[in-house]
Amino acid sequence: MFQKNQKPAAIAALTLSLAVLAAGCGSSNNSGSDASGSSNSASPSPSSSASSSASPSASASSSATTASGDPVKFHFYFTGSQNVKDLWDTLIPMFEKENPNVKVDEVYIPSGTGAQPTYDRILAAKKAGKGAGDIDLYEDGINVVTQGGKDDVWQTLSTSDIANLANVNAQTMSDVSNLAIPYRSSAVLLAYNSDKVTNPPKTLDELLDWIRQHPGKFAYNDPSTGGAGSSFVQTVIYKDLPADAIHNSDPSIMSQWDAGFKTLKDLGPVVYGKGIYPKKNQGTIDLLQNGEVDMIPAWSDMILQQQSENLLSANVKMQQITPGFNGGPTYLMVNKLSDKKDAIYQFLNFVLSSEAQEVIVGKMNGFPGIELSHMSQEMQDKFKGVSDGFRTFNIGDLGTEINKRWQSDVAAQ
Amino acid sequence: MTKERKQALWGLVLVTPSFLLLLVVVVIPIVQSFIESLRNEAGGYDLSRYEWLFTDKGMRNNIWFTLKITVISCALVLLIGYALALYLRFSPGKLAGWIRRTYMIPMFIPGVIATYGLMNLLGNHGWLSRLLLPFGVTLPRIIFDEKGLIIANLWFNIPFTTMLLSSAIAGIPGSVIESARDVGAGKLGIFFRIILPLSYKTFLVALTFVFMGVIGSFTAPFLIGQNSPQMLGVAMEQVFGVFQEREQAAAIAVFTFLLCSVLGFFYIRSMAKEEAARM
């Protein structure tokens, strides 16, 4: 008898769980459309008045709310390794707590999985006359800033909209024609196991010699899957080219790559596993940690962060070489066609506040985006002299060409 | 309206929903990819994308590599799957009971996690090599090598295959096997002349599943495969996501689809034969 009774009970439970599921879907859909829509729903909230005093740009923040008092939601796309996501997962709740009238919808695109298509989407939406294409704020490197400048998709920013922009180095801002905010920087450095390597290479030539003398003890990651490997590849390829070549995105320079690719190809048999290039920036860090290799190119912020979390042993040290590896600011760009600019400015003002910058430095171990004189004395001491030495490559689509040729010339040799 | 016509109409009405679903999620995307793959760099239409597939040295190696890994994986998975299923069917022991209870576990472990687990277990400085170190055994390279890929494929595919084959073998009446034994058939004879023919259809289903699963796999080959040659799934992602050549990626996709449809052809033919025999 008991067994017979179980059946209806099970069906009831199943129905219930299905109903809960359906309800869950329904409510999340509703909240989504409520937040993005500006329709005249009831219940006015007092948030609009509360936030206007938060920043000096009062005009921006007071008009950021919609008439009904619903928070304005904008879409923020960013890319990078997990640490970048962790950073925004910390900063955005901080911001939303202080500014209840704005909601930031973050969309994380893991590195190596197609950040370029995000830019293509912005451009496609503009060309199709579809406005911002739901990408209001975007984070990326200098290549995309320049490209977007040419395509005229970025909003010119000024201190009248974002008060804290005054904290950013004016030269850095004029380098990008005020189209983007360099909110943090980091650089690729040589990370090495100091127990095994006492005298790390100081120049690229010394590094190449070291790799040849220590077969199997150096690894760099597949350049199409992460910036550290791609920085090593680009640094080697541009080794003997004129200094200004790294700012040249003209395809004609491709004929001068041959020597560099030959060097990389010849390195194949002496790098880790006679030509194994792990996927993603983390792939080589894992090899360094478990002792399979002694030296890798890596992002300074990833090394520092993982050391502070005890994921990476303290005997890993870092060294910049000359000519320097790739490095530079990461930029935030506002889509020119976004209709939620006031809310975005409010957010950007927060990102450039010393409060948020301390989080960036503390959490990501990146170099701050604002001038050091606006940071605490402790921070000023921490970054004295270390946040330079890197070079900023600005070669546009040639980066893709390098990856393509690397795959056929170096990986598939 | 005659009764037959009514029935025929009803039949059409009933298959329409599944046909529409198939049309939207399978047929139309395939046609679109096919059209896209025909577009050359100048914007015209020709077969240059396919030509590149077979003339580029790296890509040709990728195709051979994918076929090799797929064939080896299929053979090993089916061999082990059959062995396990037979063991579970004919052994009453405790061990068989435990295997029966646990062999499905790999199906419930997410692919990425299983892959990282394999990397930690079989890597150059992994657990296995550390355990074997005191005995002076040095493992060959498994991770970042085709051996690791095949092991990963075994892990992902054996449980489901065993499950399919078990149910097929369970459907073979014990009396048939016993009577074969009575007239003097050996173990191998029973397998090849009774069990295999009677479970042939399921065998084909299992083969199809393993083949499709391996040839289209991405996670494991991306994380533990070599940089070159790559499995087609990884190469497709690279061409699509990194090199931004959508037409070329479409050509690889269509080619992969063709490889799969060869197997699909045999599968459907055997099904159709059976239907015809039944009528």
Side-chain angles (χ1 to χ4, degrees):
Chain A
M1 277 318 281
F2 186 71
Q3 267 193 329
K4 257 186 184 166
N5 281 339
Q6 266 181 340
K7 221 174 185 179
I11 291 173
L14 189 71
T15 327
L16 193 71
S17 63
L18 278 178
V20 169
L21 258 179
C25 292
S27 68
S28 73
N29 280 346
N30 284 344
S31 70
S33 61
D34 274 354
S36 59
S38 58
S39 56
N40 38 353
S41 72
S43 79
S45 87
S47 63
S48 60
S49 58
S51 60
S52 57
S53 59
S55 70
S57 56
S59 63
S61 48
S62 62
S63 57
T65 42
T66 52
S68 64
D70 282 336
V72 179
K73 182 162 125 176
F74 68 85
H75 303 278
F76 171 34
Y77 279 65
F78 60 93
T79 179
S81 292
Q82 185 64 32
N83 55 349
V84 182
K85 175 157 171 47
D86 291 343
L87 172 72
W88 289 115
D89 282 345
T90 315
L91 281 180
I92 289 172
M94 272 172 72
F95 168 76
E96 286 178 347
K97 211 170 133 203
E98 286 174 24
N99 302 272
N101 61 335
V102 179
K103 265 195 79 64
V104 185
D105 177 35
E106 52 169 324
V107 182
Y108 167 59
I109 297 157
S111 62
T113 57
Q116 175 69 27
T118 312
Y119 178 74
D120 293 344
R121 276 178 61 191
I122 296 175
L123 193 61
K126 178 187 154 88
K127 283 185 179 157
K130 292 269 167 66
D134 271 349
I135 302 169
D136 301 302
L137 182 63
Y138 184 48
E139 175 204 83
D140 211 324
I142 183 76
N143 291 346
V144 176
V145 177
T146 327
Q147 184 62 37
K150 273 185 226 149
D151 295 333
D152 191 29
V153 296
W154 306 134
Q155 173 71 28
T156 309
L157 306 163
S158 72
T159 46
S160 61
D161 294 323
I162 305 165
N164 283 337
L165 209 54
N167 298 348
V168 180
N169 184 317
Q171 181 60 42
T172 325
M173 284 305 291
S174 72
D175 278 352
V176 291
S177 328
N178 292 313
L179 290 174
I181 296 180
Y183 80 99
R184 68 175 165 93
S185 323
S186 55
V188 173
L189 295 162
L190 214 52
Y192 62 95
N193 180 342
S194 59
D195 292 348
K196 302 267 179 63
V197 184
T198 45
N199 190 16
K202 304 258 186 321
T203 66
L204 184 56
D205 286 322
E206 282 177 35
L207 171 62
L208 294 176
D209 283 342
W210 189 95
I211 298 171
R212 290 189 191 104
Q213 283 157 18
H214 301 79
K217 288 296 173 190
F218 178 85
Y220 66 94
N221 63 288
D222 179 341
S224 65
T225 64
S230 124
S231 175
F232 176 79
V233 168
Q234 291 181 4
T235 307
V236 171
I237 290 172
Y238 283 85
K239 182 165 99 78
D240 295 322
L241 266 57
D244 58 348
I246 62 172
H247 299 296
N248 183 354
S249 56
D250 190 66
S252 63
I253 202 162
M254 286 165 69
S255 58
Q256 300 179 47
W257 289 350
D258 298 350
F261 271 112
K262 189 170 178 310
T263 311
L264 288 170
K265 193 174 169 180
D266 294 343
L267 282 182
V270 288
V271 299
Y272 172 65
K274 297 195 172 56
I276 290 170
Y277 310 92
K279 303 283 161 74
K280 321 226 22 154
N281 296 326
Q282 189 63 40
T284 42
I285 299 180
D286 289 344
L287 289 181
L288 182 66
Q289 172 57 18
N290 68 21
E292 289 194 59
V293 298
D294 293 333
M295 200 180 286
I296 58 167
W299 286 103
S300 58
D301 51 335
M302 288 179 80
I303 297 289
L304 288 169
Q305 188 194 17
Q306 293 182 26
Q307 278 184 331
S308 70
E309 290 171 359
N310 286 328
L311 292 170
L312 193 60
S313 50
N315 60 12
V316 170
K317 295 207 169 123
M318 287 186 291
Q319 165 84 42
Q320 182 59 282
I321 58 168
T322 44
F325 280 129
N326 202 352
T330 304
Y331 296 89
L332 288 168
M333 290 79 76
V334 179
N335 193 329
K336 200 172 196 172
L337 297 173
S338 169
D339 49 5
K340 294 161 191 143
K341 286 198 194 98
D342 290 335
I344 300 170
Y345 291 156
Q346 209 173 322
F347 179 62
L348 292 177
N349 201 42
F350 166 77
V351 171
L352 292 175
S353 66
S354 57
E355 180 196 1
Q357 289 286 321
E358 303 251 336
V359 174
I360 290 172
V361 174
K363 191 141 186 96
M364 280 204 61
N365 295 287
F367 315 135
I370 61 176
E371 286 187 288
L372 279 175
S373 55
H374 297 287
M375 304 283 287
S376 65
Q377 188 59 46
E378 188 192 348
M379 292 293 163
Q380 295 192 24
D381 294 341
K382 183 172 177 178
F383 286 106
K384 210 169 220 168
V386 293
S387 51
D388 46 36
F390 58 77
R391 298 184 296 169
T392 303
F393 282 67
N394 188 5
I395 56 175
D397 286 343
L398 293 184
T400 307
E401 292 300 326
I402 289 183
N403 288 346
K404 225 186 282 182
R405 195 161 153 196
W406 182 88
Q407 178 65 34
S408 60
D409 284 15
V410 182
Q413 61 180 304
Chain B
M1 211 185 283
T2 60
K3 201 179 164 209
E4 280 102 69
R5 281 200 62 177
K6 226 178 198 170
Q7 267 189 339
L9 261 181
W10 253 116
L12 277 180
V13 171
L14 286 176
V15 295
T16 307
S18 64
F19 174 73
L20 281 180
L21 194 71
L22 209 67
L23 190 74
V24 173
V25 304
V26 180
V27 178
I28 294 178
I30 288 175
V31 172
Q32 274 180 335
S33 314
F34 182 63
I35 294 172
E36 177 133 18
S37 69
L38 292 177
R39 215 169 38 215
N40 61 19
E41 259 162 72
Y45 289 88
D46 61 15
L47 287 171
S48 60
R49 303 281 176 186
Y50 291 94
E51 206 184 303
W52 181 84
L53 272 190
F54 303 109
T55 48
D56 183 73
K57 194 169 138 260
M59 203 58 215
R60 220 169 38 209
N61 287 342
N62 288 348
I63 292 172
W64 278 121
F65 179 73
T66 308
L67 286 175
K68 187 174 115 191
I69 293 286
T70 309
V71 169
I72 295 177
S73 299
C74 284
L76 285 177
V77 166
L78 286 166
L79 201 72
I80 298 173
Y82 252 118
L84 256 179
L86 288 172
Y87 180 70
L88 294 179
R89 166 82 162 82
F90 294 108
S91 293
K94 240 187 181 164
L95 183 65
W98 274 107
I99 294 177
R100 194 172 294 126
R101 260 169 259 156
T102 51
Y103 80 85
M104 305 271 275
I105 287 178
M107 287 175 72
F108 301 105
I109 297 175
V112 185
I113 294 174
T115 309
Y116 271 109
L118 284 174
M119 286 170 84
N120 275 328
L121 177 69
L122 303 171
N124 249 13
H125 285 203
W127 302 343
L128 197 61
S129 67
R130 266 178 263 167
L131 285 175
L132 292 176
L133 194 64
F135 306 103
V137 183
T138 329
L139 287 175
R141 178 172 292 286
I142 300 175
I143 298 300
F144 302 122
D145 189 271
E146 54 192 48
K147 289 192 272 308
L149 260 183
I150 291 172
I151 292 175
N153 285 334
L154 294 185
W155 166 272
F156 289 123
N157 288 297
I158 284 177
F160 190 62
T161 310
T162 311
M163 193 177 77
L164 278 179
L165 292 174
S166 283
S167 68
I169 292 175
I172 300 173
S175 55
V176 177
I177 294 162
E178 271 159 40
S179 43
R181 243 180 231 155
D182 288 344
V183 295
K187 276 185 181 166
L188 275 180
I190 293 179
F191 178 74
F192 282 110
R193 300 174 70 170
I194 296 175
I195 295 176
L196 194 60
L198 283 176
S199 59
Y200 174 69
K201 212 178 92 184
T202 316
F203 166 81
L204 213 57
V205 175
L207 177 69
T208 315
F209 270 105
V210 179
F211 186 88
M212 307 266 184
V214 172
I215 211 165
S217 60
F218 177 75
T219 313
F222 180 75
L223 289 169
I224 58 182
Q226 303 120 295
N227 303 83
S228 177
Q230 299 166 314
M231 292 286 282
L232 280 178
V234 180
M236 209 188 310
E237 194 279 335
Q238 196 180 42
V239 170
F240 183 84
V242 181
F243 304 160
Q244 321 259 323
E245 294 178 347
R246 277 174 47 212
E247 295 83 6
Q248 193 57 63
I252 305 176
V254 170
F255 178 68
T256 314
F257 172 74
L258 283 180
L259 286 180
C260 289
S261 58
V262 170
L263 208 72
F265 169 75
F266 284 112
Y267 174 68
I268 292 172
R269 202 183 60 169
S270 107
M271 294 293 146
K273 243 192 218 159
E274 196 155 302
E275 283 297 307
R278 208 178 279 165
M279 281 200 190

